[in-house]
Amino acid sequence: MASNATRHRVISLYKELHRLGREYPDPAYNFHKKLRGLFEKNRNLTDPEEIEKAIKMGEYIRNETLALYSLRKYRHLKRMYPDCSTTDPSP
């Protein structure tokens, strides 16, 4: 059985990933269904090492999703404000 601290970490990770999934760029990917499936698959883990490994995988997914959102925002700004270094600003 997982300790209360581990249980709290898992629940907070799930909530954070669920919030991040609201803005996932590809609606056909079905982020929430896959997220729930992964958490339910690991629901009956009892080995502390396996639980920690699953938590690390969830944290990795969180970080990759955040990186995806940052990249999407960067690309949007790049399109909105094109690079002006091609013009010659000399007087």
Side-chain angles (χ1 to χ4, degrees):
M1 185 74 187
S3 69
N4 283 339
T6 304
R7 182 176 170 81
H8 179 71
R9 279 179 61 201
V10 170
I11 291 171
S12 66
L13 179 63
Y14 180 81
K15 286 181 178 180
E16 186 175 2
L17 284 169
H18 197 272
R19 279 191 291 276
L20 285 173
R22 292 179 190 160
E23 299 177 22
Y24 199 76
D26 183 13
Y29 184 73
N30 204 353
F31 188 90
H32 289 120
K33 182 179 178 183
K34 291 187 180 198
L35 174 67
R36 183 177 178 124
L38 285 172
F39 273 80
E40 284 183 355
K41 183 181 85 170
N42 294 325
R43 180 183 198 160
N44 297 321
L45 291 178
T46 55
D47 182 27
E49 292 177 9
E50 289 295 319
I51 293 171
E52 192 61 34
K53 184 177 174 184
I55 291 172
K56 293 290 184 192
M57 176 58 86
E59 291 171 348
Y60 173 77
I61 291 170
R62 179 193 62 207
N63 292 339
E64 289 297 311
T65 305
L66 287 171
L68 175 70
Y69 291 164
S70 296
L71 183 61
R72 187 177 79 178
K73 289 176 184 177
Y74 170 77
R75 286 180 178 164
H76 175 72
L77 288 173
K78 193 76 164 163
R79 280 193 304 268
M80 295 302 293
Y81 304 102
D83 188 17
C84 296
S85 62
T86 58
T87 59
D88 188 16
S90 61

